[in-house]
Amino acid sequence: MASGDIAQITEALAKTHVGEVELSYKGQGLKLDNAESVKEMVQEIERCQGLQSLRLEGNTLGVEAAQAIAKSLEAKRELEQCHWSDLFTGRLRSEIPPALKSLGYSLMTSGARLTLLDLSDNAFGPDGVKGIESLLKSAACYTLLELRLNNCGMGIGGGMVLASALTECHKQSSAAGSPLRLKVFIAGRNRLENDGAAALAKAFKLLGSLEEVHMPQNGINHLGITALATAIKHNPNLQVLNLNDNTFTKRGSIAMAEAIRHLQCLKVINFGDCLVRSEGAIAIAGALREGLPFLRELNLSFGEICEAAAVVVAKAVRGKSDLEKLDLNGNCFGEEGCEALREVMESMNMEDLLGTLSDDEGEPDDDDEEEEEEEDEEEKEDEVHTEENGVNGTKDVIEEKEEPRCTSELTSFLISPSAEKLISLGAKRIQLIEQQVDVSDASKVSEIFLKISSVYKDEPEVKQAIFESTDALLRKAFSNSHSQSYSFISSLIVNLGLLKSEDKKIKKVAVLPGHLLALEHAAAQEFFPADQAEVLEEFVSRNGKVLESCCNARDALKTTLVKRTTA
């Protein structure tokens, strides 16, 4: 064998991993402007038999050089992995799409079937996505398992183009008998915002194969988060969900909580710096109680979560044998709250799993106001929601469009509660509540509970009517999923003044003994879940001073809740 042949074989083996033929030019800082500058690289590519992986990241590629490399790839049918991140540093944005189109065309021509495409850290914007649009739709990507587009500046428009391409790829690959089964999707720092996220959510729902989704720092608020939540429910094998540094708020958190409870394979949840807030944290705790048996990491850091809500989350991870880390740093506990949280984790022999609390923001200031801009946005969206759904006071909770007499009587009571009206409903009141009240709206269920219990009198007939009615209402409310019933408890806690809501329109009621006595009666019943009693007890114990005007009823409630949680 000639010495030149041996040298070529040695060179090829040196660039080959076990079980994979790879050529790597990673991180060499090469300035590849024209065909001459890539002449040696092209020759190496052409000589490399069975090339499966090509690493070009960390260099800078011009249009002419890309065309030369592309030509050498046209015969590389075995190519599966394209590691092409950080490939256009210093290039004009106008140079990037034609370079990508040349490379993509060569892959389509060669008959390659990709499993990985990494174009991260290429600031190509929406036009860059158009540069790979044809490739993503082609047979070359029918087998794609990992798509990495982190920090590409795609924007809303690029997100929509990407979503359309993935949808078309799934359609065409399905028609060919082998549907696209994308497993890893990475698109952080891309300014996707709500519209881009919503477009991608539709594609995710169609795919149903995702195992990892990383979309941090994309300017997505609760509307986009809700769309993503709807989509991920249809990806049952999802293991990693990273949405760090977006803006959930209460509504996004509740939607996401409802989604993740379905994902029994989920191992890593990163909702750090997402403004989950206390109400959202309670909803997520409900999902933790209901499922997620293999959870390894949970990040709810920097979310404006109060101490009591954090304790609820901590207690919800009890029994998660695979858990390695719980990150609650940067929230609003205060020194005593941090210590209380540590004690809770220690009591469960999980103290080593709690991350640092060194960046705690301290206890929240009751006088803190939401930012003016966010409040205006919330109000406008609520007005649109009201117009679209015909929301009109208490009548929302009545499912019938045309009110028969009995339903009208229930509505009349809810508009202007009195003990006499409640008693006048007679035995049919329980049936009315069970049949007519829509318990999917947690805040309305809480409102009805408080209206019924507000007419409390220490008279046998009135007490019986109230307890029967509130028991029927809560029995139905707790028949929902954990996350939904946790939302009810959260709403009730807000209405009782035990937790400040982010929603300015939700005001705490003037708490009456009847509110707490009806709740105490319900908490003693078997239908009242022990874990919900634990949530309620946490807030009553830590913030019970706001119930001082009803101290006897409060103490009775607390005693019953403690019994339920220790039984």
Side-chain angles (χ1 to χ4, degrees):
M1 182 180 292
S3 59
D5 294 335
I6 295 174
Q8 290 181 15
I9 293 173
T10 302
E11 181 183 13
L13 288 174
K15 297 177 179 179
T16 302
H17 296 303
V18 176
E20 176 182 87
V21 181
E22 178 181 275
L23 278 177
S24 178
Y25 303 92
K26 179 180 179 180
Q28 295 185 16
L30 302 174
K31 193 171 188 298
L32 309 173
D33 295 324
N34 48 43
E36 183 62 28
S37 65
V38 295
K39 183 177 180 180
E40 184 178 344
M41 183 185 296
V42 166
Q43 290 174 347
E44 289 179 346
I45 292 173
E46 290 175 344
R47 289 198 303 263
C48 186
Q49 299 300 311
L51 179 63
Q52 294 174 289
S53 176
L54 179 60
R55 305 195 74 105
L56 298 176
E57 65 265 53
N59 300 289
T60 177
L61 189 65
V63 176
E64 186 180 335
Q67 291 171 343
I69 293 173
K71 187 68 176 176
S72 70
L73 293 176
E74 290 182 359
K76 300 302 173 183
R77 184 179 181 86
E78 294 86 0
L79 187 62
E80 296 178 355
Q81 298 185 15
C82 298
H83 298 271
W84 296 346
S85 63
D86 190 18
L87 192 54
F88 298 103
T89 301
R91 298 292 171 182
L92 296 174
R93 181 167 291 189
S94 60
E95 293 181 82
I96 301 176
L100 290 173
K101 286 181 180 179
S102 295
L103 293 168
Y105 180 77
S106 71
L107 297 174
M108 291 185 282
T109 302
S110 70
R113 294 294 183 266
L114 299 183
T115 59
L116 182 148
L117 178 60
D118 186 356
L119 289 166
S120 298
D121 300 315
N122 289 310
F124 49 50
D127 290 340
V129 184
K130 293 177 182 177
I132 59 171
E133 183 179 9
S134 296
L135 172 63
L136 290 174
K137 292 179 179 180
S138 75
C141 287
Y142 287 1
T143 51
L144 196 63
L145 299 177
E146 298 186 32
L147 180 59
R148 302 171 181 265
L149 296 169
N150 199 59
N151 190 30
C152 290
M154 289 190 287
I156 295 172
M160 290 181 167
V161 172
L162 177 59
S164 177
L166 290 174
T167 300
E168 183 64 21
C169 183
H170 184 271
K171 177 182 176 181
Q172 296 296 337
S173 60
S174 296
S178 182
L180 174 64
R181 301 287 298 169
L182 189 67
K183 292 184 178 181
V184 178
F185 180 84
I186 301 176
R189 299 185 66 189
N190 270 293
R191 304 192 309 274
L192 294 170
E193 301 183 16
N194 288 335
D195 290 343
L200 285 165
K202 292 179 181 178
F204 294 168
K205 182 178 179 180
L206 185 66
L207 290 171
S209 57
L210 291 168
E211 296 180 7
E212 293 188 27
V213 173
H214 302 261
M215 296 175 66
Q217 202 173 343
N218 268 296
I220 308 169
N221 70 23
H222 72 90
L223 295 171
I225 295 298
T226 299
L228 289 171
T230 300
I232 65 171
K233 285 193 291 189
H234 297 272
N235 289 265
N237 295 320
L238 192 67
Q239 298 179 31
V240 179
L241 181 58
N242 177 7
L243 295 173
N244 187 282
D245 198 10
N246 289 291
T247 306
F248 283 36
T249 61
K250 172 185 172 181
R251 281 181 280 185
S253 299
I254 290 174
M256 193 57 70
E258 180 62 22
I260 63 176
R261 74 183 182 91
H262 296 278
L263 304 175
Q264 298 305 300
C265 297
L266 200 54
K267 296 178 181 178
V268 177
I269 298 174
N270 187 344
F271 296 160
D273 204 14
C274 282
L275 214 61
V276 167
R277 294 193 172 131
S278 298
E279 291 171 274
I282 293 171
I284 290 170
L288 293 171
R289 292 274 193 176
E290 193 169 6
L292 307 175
F294 305 113
L295 187 67
R296 287 205 314 253
E297 295 181 23
L298 174 61
N299 185 346
L300 296 178
S301 60
F302 299 94
E304 295 190 2
I305 300 170
C306 72
E307 171 202 347
V311 170
V312 169
V313 171
K315 290 183 176 181
V317 301
R318 183 195 292 125
K320 305 291 184 190
S321 58
D322 291 343
L323 191 70
E324 297 175 0
K325 185 176 181 181
L326 173 62
D327 190 348
L328 291 168
N329 194 25
N331 284 296
C332 308
F333 308 152
E335 290 185 14
E336 292 183 4
C338 289
E339 185 58 32
L341 183 59
R342 292 189 188 99
E343 290 176 359
V344 168
M345 294 296 288
E346 186 175 356
S347 71
M348 301 186 297
N349 296 319
M350 302 176 79
E351 64 270 23
D352 293 339
L353 308 184
L354 181 64
T356 179
L357 299 176
S358 60
D359 295 317
D360 184 71
E361 296 287 338
E363 294 184 62
D365 185 348
D366 290 338
D367 294 328
D368 283 348
E369 297 295 334
E370 303 294 341
E371 293 182 6
E372 194 82 24
E373 184 177 341
E374 180 179 306
E375 184 178 356
D376 290 343
E377 178 191 356
E378 296 279 344
E379 289 177 357
K380 289 177 182 177
E381 288 168 356
D382 285 341
E383 288 170 5
V384 172
H385 180 76
T386 299
E387 292 173 2
E388 290 177 347
N389 295 283
V391 178
N392 184 22
T394 305
K395 291 186 179 181
D396 299 5
V397 299
I398 304 301
E399 294 175 343
E400 297 291 339
K401 293 182 179 179
E402 295 183 5
E403 296 188 46
R405 181 174 177 272
C406 56
T407 304
S408 178
E409 291 175 1
L410 177 60
T411 303
S412 175
F413 165 77
L414 293 174
I415 292 173
S416 180
S418 71
E420 292 72 20
K421 287 182 180 179
L422 183 64
I423 292 172
S424 70
L425 290 173
K428 66 178 179 290
R429 59 177 166 263
I430 296 176
Q431 183 179 6
L432 283 174
I433 290 171
E434 291 177 342
Q435 292 182 352
Q436 306 300 332
V437 176
D438 177 11
V439 295
S440 65
D441 188 334
S443 62
K444 287 299 180 182
V445 175
S446 175
E447 179 185 333
I448 291 176
F449 173 85
L450 294 172
K451 286 188 174 184
I452 295 173
S453 55
S454 70
V455 302
Y456 179 90
K457 294 180 182 179
D458 193 14
E459 299 173 6
E461 187 178 14
V462 177
K463 288 167 63 175
Q464 181 180 355
I466 289 173
F467 292 160
E468 287 178 351
S469 300
T470 53
D471 284 359
L473 177 65
L474 297 195
R475 185 182 294 107
K476 186 177 181 183
F478 287 133
S479 67
N480 278 336
S481 69
H482 263 61
S483 53
Q484 286 180 316
S485 55
Y486 265 62
S487 294
F488 160 68
I489 287 292
S490 177
S491 295
L492 188 59
I493 290 169
V494 168
N495 288 137
L496 292 175
L498 298 171
L499 174 65
K500 184 178 179 180
S501 175
E502 69 178 51
D503 189 342
K504 296 288 185 181
K505 294 183 178 181
I506 297 180
K507 304 296 183 182
K508 67 179 183 180
V509 300
V511 181
L512 302 172
H515 294 144
L516 306 183
L517 292 172
L519 193 53
E520 187 268 336
H521 181 272
Q525 309 307 311
E526 289 187 2
F527 67 77
F528 202 106
D531 57 324
Q532 310 283 9
E534 189 173 39
V535 174
L536 191 55
E537 190 272 330
E538 198 63 52
F539 279 86
V540 172
S541 296
R542 296 179 186 277
N543 303 325
K545 59 185 179 182
V546 302
L547 305 176
E548 192 63 35
S549 62
C550 307
C551 57
N552 291 335
R554 177 199 63 193
D555 293 344
L557 172 60
K558 184 177 177 180
T559 299
T560 297
L561 292 172
V562 170
K563 286 180 180 178
R564 286 303 312 277
T565 58
T566 58

